[in-house]
Amino acid sequence: MKHTARAFWIDSPGRGGIRDVTLPPPGEGEVLVRTLFSGVSRGTETLVFRGGVPVSQHTAMRAPFQEGDFPAPVKYGYLNVGVVEEGPRELTGRTVFCLYPHQTRYVVPATAVTPVPDTVPAERAVLAGTVETAVNALWDAAPLVGDRIAVVGGGMVGCSVAALLARFPGVRVQLVDADPSRAKIAEALGVGFATPEDADGDRDLVVHASATEAGLARSLELLTAEGTVLELSWYGDRQVSLPLGEAFHSRRLVIRSSQVGTVSPARPNRTYADRLAVALDLLADPALDALVTGESPFEDLPDVLPKLVSGEVPALCHRVRYDESD
């Protein structure tokens, strides 16, 4: 088997390149994986690419198989789907998901890969990490039958949350985004859509994922009395002001954070592996293909990531395709 690879590195903030890698042969309990697809999460990864991780969060923001340190040079990423070429018999030849950066081949412990169910195409499985975030958010939010819910921010995480909420009985879900083109994605996911100024109010729950100050303020406005905003946005090095005057206290509103780095305390008996397995099972739904809005070959990553940062290439999840000869 081939024991060389190529990896994408952020060489300096805003600039990346592809480097050659020599892989060790897999040892006992390890697997050699050939990447089929990886995914770029436009929120977190573009923030890392531009060097926006605050010093105080350098440790918390480390990806499981990251190399180097923030801001750069660093090898970063966590949405990787590949096929096991060497390893334990029960995994060899299987398609697996791993929280690994953008690299053509890699060696990791067998425990670091999760087999992709036969019902889930490899192309869609790159969404596993983001759907896992949505699973954790809904464990935190604990929506109830018949709830009126808004998801503010139609990015990758917000759309994933909306897609899962669409499965809850009696729940009325509205995706709220300033970009009217997100209406088509909302329709594909089976939820309603509105721009911020036209969004329905009196929501029992608002999930905020726009990573904007205006989005968070609007989320509070959309709540019914004693409602909750579940905050999924991560603002990196930006300061955010909150409108906590006026009726915030008299309406007894709640703002609660949720972050995928910890399994929701609402599910104390679930592990990280349990949560990822749930996410992969949910990806059997073809409606989630709407979250993949672009694709390019691995070789183009140094040119594509700056365009994702600038918005020249609009995307929810941008999929990276790998050549079999790599």
Side-chain angles (χ1 to χ4, degrees), residues 106-172:
Y106 53 92
V107 174
V108 293
T111 54
V113 302
T114 302
V116 174
D118 293 338
T119 54
V120 179
E123 295 93 330
R124 193 185 304 147
V126 295
L127 297 168
T130 306
V131 173
E132 182 184 5
T133 300
V135 169
N136 204 62
L138 295 184
W139 283 352
D140 280 335
L144 300 175
V145 172
D147 272 357
R148 300 159 298 177
I149 302 174
V151 179
V152 177
M156 194 173 168
V157 171
C159 285
S160 296
V161 171
L164 299 192
L165 283 170
R167 302 160 181 255
F168 279 67
V171 165
R172 286 175 283 171

Side-chain angles (χ1 to χ4, degrees), residues 72-205:
V74 63
K75 184 175 76 174
Y76 192 85
Y78 48 83
L79 302 174
N80 191 297
V81 177
V83 61
V84 176
E85 293 190 320
E86 296 183 40
R89 181 182 303 174
E90 64 273 15
L91 287 174
T92 301
R94 292 292 304 273
T95 300
V96 295
F97 177 84
C98 185
L99 296 169
Y100 204 86
H102 309 283
Q103 185 166 310
T104 57
R105 277 181 170 82
Y106 53 92
V107 174
V108 293
T111 54
V113 302
T114 302
V116 174
D118 293 338
T119 54
V120 179
E123 295 93 330
R124 193 185 304 147
V126 295
L127 297 168
T130 306
V131 173
E132 182 184 5
T133 300
V135 169
N136 204 62
L138 295 184
W139 283 352
D140 280 335
L144 300 175
V145 172
D147 272 357
R148 300 159 298 177
I149 302 174
V151 179
V152 177
M156 194 173 168
V157 171
C159 285
S160 296
V161 171
L164 299 192
L165 283 170
R167 302 160 181 255
F168 279 67
V171 165
R172 286 175 283 171
V173 186
Q174 190 172 65
L175 182 66
V176 179
D177 197 274
D179 182 357
S181 70
R182 292 285 192 259
K184 291 182 179 179
I185 294 173
E187 182 181 5
L189 298 176
V191 300
F193 177 82
T195 56
E197 58 272 18
D198 295 328
D200 294 334
D202 292 324
R203 303 295 92 183
D204 302 296
L205 169 69

